[in-house]
Amino acid sequence: MIFFIKKFVAPLLFPAPFIAILLLIGLFLLFTRRQAVAKFLITIGILLFLACSNNWVSDRILSTLERQYPALLPEYSVGTGIPDSLKSVKWVVVLGAGYDGNRRLPPSSRLSYAGLMRLIEGIRLYRILPGTKLILSGGAVYSPLPEAQGTADMAEALGVPPSDIRLESKSLDTDDEAAFIKPMVGDDRFILTTSASHMPRSMKLFE
């Protein structure tokens, strides 16, 4: 029940679906005696739509989450020296973000945009930090094939050896990922890779 709420009910509270629901209720009420309520809901819906579709507004709302954790080693590349504080890192953990198991698509198109960006950043850090291995996570939520396997297919296509990849393929959400990855890393130090806006929530769950 909780999984259903998180995956199918909670998304209705995202800006676009929430605004659409407000407008639909408002339109329905226009044909009843509650026209004042209808006009109020339609007005609020239109104002929210205009605000959320404005990059200046949406970027500043999103930045309150994104700026809590700065990017790691943004100026570093393969072969450059790394801080001593990161030399003991053993793993680069890449969290899942959605996967389409359609085998007619190339591996890059099976991952969501966020999932592809997370993987690319994870591979960048893996290559900068010698001796690390990738942990790719994500279970079979919307596809028979676990997301972790689909992400691994893309990682291998980008040149990561299978021997440097570990899969966590049972999780259905971020809470699960934290629980299942814990025994995989033990007490080793690791880097958590996810979307900037998702990082505060992920950090709390992993901590």
Side-chain angles (χ1 to χ4, degrees), residues 177-190:
E177 287 176 313
F180 291 134
I181 289 172
K182 169 59 179 173
M184 296 177 69
V185 299
D187 294 326
D188 293 341
R189 296 190 66 207
F190 66 94

Side-chain angles (χ1 to χ4, degrees), residues 10-22 45 48-49 51-53 58 61:
L12 295 178
L13 300 178
F14 290 177
F18 180 72
I19 291 169
I21 290 171
L22 281 182
L48 286 174
F49 172 77
C52 292
S53 59
S58 58
I61 293 173

Side-chain angles (χ1 to χ4, degrees), residues 20-46:
I21 290 171
L22 281 182
L23 292 174
L24 287 173
I25 294 174
L27 287 173
F28 173 77
L29 293 177
L30 274 179
F31 300 96
T32 69
R33 296 180 180 179
R34 299 184 176 181
Q35 293 195 359
V37 176
K39 293 175 181 178
F40 173 77
L41 291 177
I42 291 173
T43 301
I44 293 297
I46 292 173

Side-chain angles (χ1 to χ4, degrees), residues 35-140:
Q35 293 195 359
V37 176
K39 293 175 181 178
F40 173 77
L41 291 177
I42 291 173
T43 301
I44 293 297
I46 292 173
L47 291 175
L48 286 174
F49 172 77
L50 292 174
C52 292
S53 59
N54 183 290
N55 287 340
W56 188 89
V57 175
S58 58
D59 287 349
R60 274 149 188 80
I61 293 173
L62 198 58
S63 68
T64 60
L65 292 174
E66 293 182 334
R67 66 189 179 197
Q68 293 184 33
Y69 292 91
L72 185 64
L73 304 177
E75 302 297 328
Y76 284 69
S77 59
V78 178
T80 59
I82 59 173
D84 290 339
S85 60
L86 294 178
K87 290 182 178 178
S88 61
V89 171
K90 302 293 186 184
W91 308 92
V92 176
V93 174
V94 180
L95 300 185
Y99 176 71
D100 183 344
N102 187 347
R103 286 289 178 173
R104 291 175 295 180
L105 299 174
S108 57
S109 296
R110 296 173 202 162
L111 297 175
S112 68
Y113 176 78
L116 188 58
M117 292 301 100
R118 293 178 189 186
L119 175 62
I120 291 172
E121 177 62 8
I123 292 175
R124 183 185 77 89
L125 294 171
Y126 151 80
R127 287 179 172 157
I128 290 174
L129 302 171
T132 57
K133 296 186 183 300
L134 284 175
I135 293 181
L136 308 177
S137 71

Side-chain angles (χ1 to χ4, degrees), residues 69 92-97 114-115 117-119 121-122 125 174 177 191-203 206:
Y69 292 91
V92 176
V93 174
V94 180
L95 300 185
M117 292 301 100
R118 293 178 189 186
L119 175 62
E121 177 62 8
L125 294 171
T174 312
E177 287 176 313
I191 292 172
L192 184 63
T193 310
T194 186
S195 305
S197 59
H198 187 237
M199 186 62 79
R201 179 173 177 271
S202 301
M203 286 293 290
F206 272 78

